[in-house]
């Protein structure tokens, strides 16, 4: 869930009022401390044939063969899938709800990147955590379990490459805490927890990490962060011991200890920020991992993947690297360059300027890939030409190319490949091509932006089963196939 700088006046007023209400109550708080898979056959090299039943996730967990194969590997799972640490007691959102919330996130990202008039200027040891997807965020996000405090308490956090600040709900929940499945973190029971003072450089860094200026409760630094769907967290800024694995422990890890947390967060315990800011987990662990991390997002939701910090020499043999770009107005985000798209092995006729006008970011929190209008139109046209044997049906939210497959046992779909800078060809897994509400509404899992100047986003449905490697220091982004197996 991407943090939004609250620049619109009404939003600023809202969060400011939240700060004031939270601060008045915090002062009295006393402590120091998607779908797919099931490929049946491949009649041609440029098509996938899928069983219709595979469009629904299994109720049995199928763990990644890689998640425990490397020292320090962390498991990634889907929030509503059977691989989650706790049985899911919350009603999962419908496919339409997921897509609606996803659009809220995208709107927030695009506002943030359009706020600066120069937004189109792009410049060019180890530990693994398993990753799980949490759709209650409305963004199909993925969950990892980390340890915090001394003694360690296990927390299930959404990891997000579009956010910087790590936070979790904390006792005594001075204002409001939403329902979560793990016990709420109690800093008074951790021997290593410390509040961060207002007059420190670390407190000042919250402005760039959250988009909001920090406040003070007495001498204690108070953070506030709001997301694209108007969810928010406000609380004390503190440090404690972060445990990724028994051999990967970091003291004095900066995080938000939430005392007023409201919105679409139900079920998980907070967020692990993997952006580029100095307060992100990537930067805070750089002394050991060198700003190098990778993940594989599982498909379907009944399987698991991993999140890993550091190099391990065990990368997929198909790993290819494209230049990792940065945007001056969106320093949190990881940018890359799309140069072409292929459907059924054929390169679409799209001018390079279509992709370069607004640029593209890769985001673990956005569900559906967003493309410039001209690129999406070309993709949709080519896909529909390959799917004429199947009846079209009504659109599903932002997805306008949908089919009624209720009378079919299998479906044959064309392959889709993205070509990134450096001629890096990345085949999209079959699970990243279709998004199903039901067998009678199965849609092309891509959407077009409203205008050519809105940033493109390579979303998590299209990243499923890929090994995605972020070599931030080296300035490159890697992709490998069959990353979870």
């Amino acid at each position: 869930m991407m943090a939004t700088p609250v620049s619109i006046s009404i939003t600023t007023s809202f969060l400011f009022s939240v700060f004031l209400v939270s601060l008045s109550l915090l002062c009295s708080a006393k402590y120091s401390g998607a779908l797919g898979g099931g490929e049946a056959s491949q009649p041609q090299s440029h098509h996938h044939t899928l069983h219709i039943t595979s469009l629904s996730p299994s109720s049995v967990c199928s763990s990644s063969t890689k998640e425990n194969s490397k020292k320090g590997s962390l498991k990634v799972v889907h929030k509503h899938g059977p691989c989650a640490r706790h049985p899911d007691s919350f009603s999962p959102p419908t496919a339409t709800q997921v897509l609606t919330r996803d659009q809220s996130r995208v709107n927030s990202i695009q506002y943030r990147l359009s706020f600066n008039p120069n937004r189109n200027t792009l410049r060019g040891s180890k530990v693994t955590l398993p990753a799980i997807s949490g759709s209650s965020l409305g963004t199909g996000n993925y969950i990892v379990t980390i340890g915090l405090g001394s003694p360690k308490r296990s927390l299930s956090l959404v990891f997000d490459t579009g956010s910087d600040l790590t936070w979790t709900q904390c006792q005594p929940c001075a204002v409001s805490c939403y329902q979560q499945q793990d016990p709420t973190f109690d800093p008074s029971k951790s021997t290593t927890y410390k509040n961060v003072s207002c007059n420190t450089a670390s407190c000042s860094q919250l402005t760039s990490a959250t988009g909001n200026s920090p406040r003070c409760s007495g001498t204690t630094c108070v953070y506030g962060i709001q997301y694209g769907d108007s969810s928010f967290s406000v609380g004390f800024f503190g440090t404690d011991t972060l445990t990724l694995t028994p051999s990967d422990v970091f003291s004095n890890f900066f995080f938000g200890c939430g005392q007023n947390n409201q919105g679409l967060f139900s079920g998980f315990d907070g967020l692990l920020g993997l952006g580029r800011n100095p307060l992100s987990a990537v930067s805070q662990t750089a002394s050991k991992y060198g700003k190098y991390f990778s993940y594989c997002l599982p498909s379907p939701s009944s399987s698991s993947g991993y999140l890993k910090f550091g190099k391990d020499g065990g990368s997929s043999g198909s790993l290819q690297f494209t230049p990792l770009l940065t945007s001056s107005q969106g320093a949190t985000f990881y940018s890359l360059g799309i140069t072409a798209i292929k459907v059924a092995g054929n390169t679409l006729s799209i001018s390079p300027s279509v992709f370069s006008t607004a640029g593209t970011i890769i985001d673990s929190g956005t569900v559906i890939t967003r493309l410039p209008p001209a690129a999406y139109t070309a993709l949709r046209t080519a896909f529909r030409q390959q799917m004429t044997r199947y009846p079209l049906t009504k659109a599903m939210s932002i997805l306008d190319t949908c089919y009624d497959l209720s009378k079919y046992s299998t479906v044959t779909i064309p392959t889709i490949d993205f070509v990134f800078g450096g001629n890096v060809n990345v085949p999209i897994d079959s699970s990243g091509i279709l998004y199903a509400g039901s067998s009678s509404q199965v849609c092309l899992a891509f959407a077009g932006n409203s205008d050519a100047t809105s940033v493109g986003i390579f979303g998590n449905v299209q990243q499923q089963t890929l090994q995605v490697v972020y070599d931030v220091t080296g300035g490159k982004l890697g992709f490998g196939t069959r990353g979870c197996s």
Side-chain angles (χ1 to χ4, degrees), residues 242-288:
L242 172 70
T243 301
L244 299 179
T245 74
S247 60
D248 296 277
V249 181
F250 299 86
S251 58
N252 300 313
F253 180 80
F254 291 95
F255 74 105
C257 206
Q259 297 295 315
N260 187 6
N261 317 284
Q262 298 181 36
L264 301 172
F265 296 128
S266 296
F268 61 91
D269 307 334
L271 184 143
L272 180 67
L274 297 180
R276 290 179 152 182
N277 188 272
L279 289 181
S280 75
V282 176
S283 297
Q284 289 196 62
T285 59
S287 60
K288 182 167 187 177

Side-chain angles (χ1 to χ4, degrees), residues 60-70 72-78 81-86 127-133 142-146 155-157 159 244-245 272 294-298 301-309:
V60 178
C61 176
S62 176
S63 296
S64 163
T65 58
K66 284 191 175 183
E67 70 184 46
N68 294 315
S69 64
K70 304 290 185 297
S73 177
L74 295 178
K75 185 177 184 179
V76 172
V77 299
H78 193 288
C83 295
R85 258 189 339 126
H86 302 292
V127 62
T128 305
L129 306 177
I132 305 172
S133 173
Y142 291 81
I143 308 297
V144 294
T145 299
I146 57 94
L155 300 172
S156 297
L157 305 181
F159 76 87
L244 299 179
T245 74
L272 180 67
S294 60
Y295 56 71
C296 180
L297 306 181
S301 62
S302 56
S303 59
S304 64
Y306 61 86
L307 168 65
K308 184 172 66 64
F309 292 91

Side-chain angles (χ1 to χ4, degrees), residues 362-435:
I362 181 171
D363 183 34
S364 69
T366 296
V367 179
I368 299 297
T369 289
R370 300 309 202 278
L371 295 170
Y376 175 68
T377 298
L379 171 63
R380 177 182 62 189
T381 298
F383 185 82
R384 287 187 175 188
Q385 288 172 348
Q386 295 281 329
M387 297 284 287
T388 54
R389 76 189 76 176
Y390 305 108
L392 284 162
T393 189
K394 63 181 180 179
M396 179 167 58
S397 183
I398 58 173
L399 306 181
D400 65 5
T401 297
C402 302
Y403 297 89
D404 181 356
L405 304 180
S406 58
K407 296 181 180 180
Y408 298 83
S409 60
T410 64
V411 58
T412 299
I413 61 175
T415 59
I416 296 178
D417 297 65
F418 273 53
V419 182
F420 298 107
N423 198 32
V424 172
N425 190 94
V426 177
I428 305 302
D429 187 76
S430 58
S431 64
I433 296 175
L434 296 178
Y435 192 87

Side-chain angles (χ1 to χ4, degrees), residues 89-120:
S89 59
F90 303 93
S91 298
T94 65
T96 299
Q97 287 174 328
V98 168
L99 295 172
T100 300
R101 296 170 188 174
D102 190 45
Q103 188 59 45
S104 294
R105 177 186 178 94
V106 169
N107 291 344
S108 181
I109 290 174
Q110 292 177 342
Y111 171 78
R112 180 172 180 176
L113 290 176
S114 65
F115 188 73
N116 188 312
N118 297 318
R119 68 192 177 92
N120 297 333

